[in-house]
């Protein structure tokens, strides 16, 4: 089954959960702090944006991570991600984001004891977790911490927490403020909740803001996963044509040529290998 292609929305179609709009709304420190306080039950002292849509790539050879909103409180680092559509390997994604945030901190001179408490907060419109029968677990919130399996009272105490919200299960959330926010994220209907109405109002004002409209027109709104989905669609079509031609010319030579071209475009090696039928090791040597 092929992955869907997500088209870039017009400004008039944008909602709070759309890429670009989400980051723009959270540029307001008070809004960002209140959202975090609601969803993580934390008291935020200050909001510092090292970079909005910060890209962390410690070494040129590593895979960089673009974070939706990456901010620092006095004693915390918080990454907030919005997921409007299902994505693969969410757990490994949070693991990689966490490692890059820690690496970014350590490269700035911090020692291990100085690492701040960190939170990876994902807000998903759909349930990202399903059982063996592909049935969603249906929880409004999933919180993950490193706890000893042999004794639940033993905590690794690495100060690393992953919190993943499932907005589609907003009706099951017992906290009224969180329930109202999840309802807005899921339906785009703010209802009577004051905070949700403020978010909705900011969204509508931004749509009329000339600076935002100009920025939005210039932005590359296809994040890494949207790009990959689009590339797979185009690559699959191109490879199919290449393989047909390659039957007469030599299928392997054509596959190598195609893989080399795709590699120059920095397409993930695993994706190239899947498309052309070569191993990742062979492609690395090209």
């Amino acid at each position: 089954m092929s992955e869907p292609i997500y088209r870039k929305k017009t400004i008039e179609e944008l909602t709070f959960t759309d890429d670009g709009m989400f980051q723009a709304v959270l540029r307001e420190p008070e809004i960002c702090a209140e959202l975090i306080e609601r969803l993580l039950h934390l008291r935020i002292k200050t909001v510092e944006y090292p970079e909005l849509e910060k890209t962390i790539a410690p070494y040129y050879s590593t895979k960089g991570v673009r974070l939706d909103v990456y901010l620092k409180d006095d004693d915390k680092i918080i990454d907030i991600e919005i997921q409007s559509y299902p994505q693969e390997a969410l757990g490994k994604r949070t693991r990689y984001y966490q490692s890059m945030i820690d690496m970014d901190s350590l490269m700035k001179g911090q020692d291990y004891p100085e690492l701040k408490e960190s939170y990876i907060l994902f807000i998903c419109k759909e349930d990202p977790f399903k059982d063996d029968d592909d049935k969603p677990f249906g929880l409004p919130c999933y919180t993950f911490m490193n706890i000893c399996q042999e004794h639940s009272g033993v905590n690794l105490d690495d100060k690393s927490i992953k919190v993943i919200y499932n907005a589609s299960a907003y009706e099951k959330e017992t906290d009224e403020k969180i329930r109202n926010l999840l309802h807005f994220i899921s339906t785009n209907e703010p209802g009577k909740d004051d905070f949700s109405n403020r978010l909705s109002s900011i969204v509508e004002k931004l749509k009329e803001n000339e600076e935002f409209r100009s920025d939005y027109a210039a932005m590359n709104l296809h994040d890494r996963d949207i790009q990959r989905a689009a590339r797979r669609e185009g690559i699959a079509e191109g490879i199919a044509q290449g393989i047909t031609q390659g039957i007469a010319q030599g299928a392997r030579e054509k596959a190598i040529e195609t893989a080399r071209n795709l590699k120059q475009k920095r397409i993930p090696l695993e994706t190239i290998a899947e498309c052309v039928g070569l191993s990742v090791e062979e492609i690395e040597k090209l």
Side-chain angles (χ1 to χ4, degrees):
M1 181 178 180
S2 63
E3 296 184 45
I5 298 299
Y6 295 89
R7 68 178 179 85
K8 177 180 175 179
K9 289 185 176 182
T10 65
I11 289 180
E12 288 69 26
E13 293 176 306
L14 292 178
T15 67
F16 172 64
T17 62
D18 286 311
D19 193 6
M21 182 61 77
F22 180 75
Q23 294 93 330
V25 173
L26 294 192
R27 284 190 181 129
E28 296 194 20
E30 291 183 2
I31 292 294
C32 191
E34 184 164 348
L35 183 138
I36 293 170
E37 289 178 352
R38 280 202 183 200
L39 296 181
L40 295 182
H41 304 287
L42 297 175
R43 183 63 182 171
I44 301 299
K45 301 175 184 176
T46 59
V47 174
E48 173 192 347
Y49 301 93
E51 286 181 37
L52 206 65
E53 289 190 336
K54 179 181 175 68
T55 297
I56 298 177
Y59 305 105
Y60 71 90
S61 60
T62 64
K63 184 182 295 185
V65 173
R66 196 216 66 191
L67 307 176
D68 279 355
V69 177
Y70 174 66
L71 58 91
K72 294 183 179 181
D73 190 21
D74 289 345
D75 57 353
K76 306 176 188 68
I77 297 178
I78 303 170
D79 168 38
I80 312 170
E81 304 288 329
I82 191 77
Q83 302 293 334
S84 297
Y85 54 90
Q87 295 189 4
E88 60 183 14
L90 181 62
K92 292 182 179 179
R93 190 183 302 270
T94 64
R95 169 182 164 186
Y96 190 67
Y97 283 18
Q98 180 65 62
S99 67
M100 289 296 98
I101 288 174
D102 290 342
M103 181 65 72
D104 184 58
S105 298
L106 289 173
M107 289 185 70
K108 293 176 180 176
Q110 288 186 318
D111 202 354
Y112 298 121
E114 298 176 290
L115 286 175
K116 295 183 178 182
E117 186 174 24
S118 70
Y119 291 82
I120 306 294
L121 171 61
F122 270 74
I123 307 171
C124 304
K125 293 190 71 173
E126 299 181 25
D127 197 331
F129 299 108
K130 299 180 180 180
D131 61 20
D132 294 337
D133 297 322
D134 204 34
K135 181 181 178 181
F137 284 99
L139 297 178
C141 181
Y142 302 87
T143 302
F144 299 92
M145 301 174 68
N146 290 321
I147 298 175
C148 179
Q149 290 189 354
E150 287 75 15
H151 193 301
S152 60
V154 180
N155 192 324
L156 188 60
D157 197 30
D158 60 350
K159 305 300 183 183
S160 170
I161 302 171
K162 286 89 173 174
V163 180
I164 302 173
Y165 275 95
N166 164 31
S168 66
Y170 64 86
E171 293 180 337
K172 298 180 181 179
E173 175 56 53
T174 57
D175 185 303
E176 183 180 5
K177 289 186 176 181
I178 295 179
R179 182 171 63 249
N180 291 337
L181 178 57
L182 295 182
H183 173 267
F184 171 60
I185 290 171
S186 179
T187 66
N188 198 38
E189 298 173 358
K192 298 180 180 180
D193 180 62
D194 177 66
F195 183 57
S196 297
N197 275 282
R198 286 165 59 198
L199 293 175
S200 181
S201 177
I202 294 172
V203 169
E204 295 308 312
K205 288 180 180 178
L206 283 170
K207 290 180 182 181
E208 302 299 325
N209 182 282
E210 289 302 322
E211 183 178 357
F212 173 77
R213 295 176 72 90
S214 177
D215 289 344
Y216 181 77
M219 281 179 64
N220 177 10
L221 294 181
H222 295 292
D223 66 17
R224 186 171 61 87
D225 297 289
I226 296 177
Q227 287 177 349
R228 184 168 59 182
R231 285 171 181 163
R232 280 181 176 173
E233 195 74 9
I235 291 168
E237 181 179 352
I239 295 302
Q241 296 175 357
I243 290 176
T244 300
Q245 298 171 0
I247 292 175
Q249 302 173 9
R252 179 170 176 78
E253 288 75 12
K254 187 64 179 180
I256 290 175
E257 177 186 353
T258 303
R260 183 178 289 112
N261 291 335
L262 296 176
K263 186 178 179 183
Q264 290 176 348
K265 296 178 181 179
R266 296 185 178 181
I267 293 174
L269 300 186
E270 293 79 4
T271 302
I272 299 175
E274 180 181 354
C275 291
V276 303
L278 298 176
S279 69
V280 172
E281 290 75 16
E282 288 177 297
I283 296 172
E284 285 179 338
K285 295 177 181 179
L286 294 178

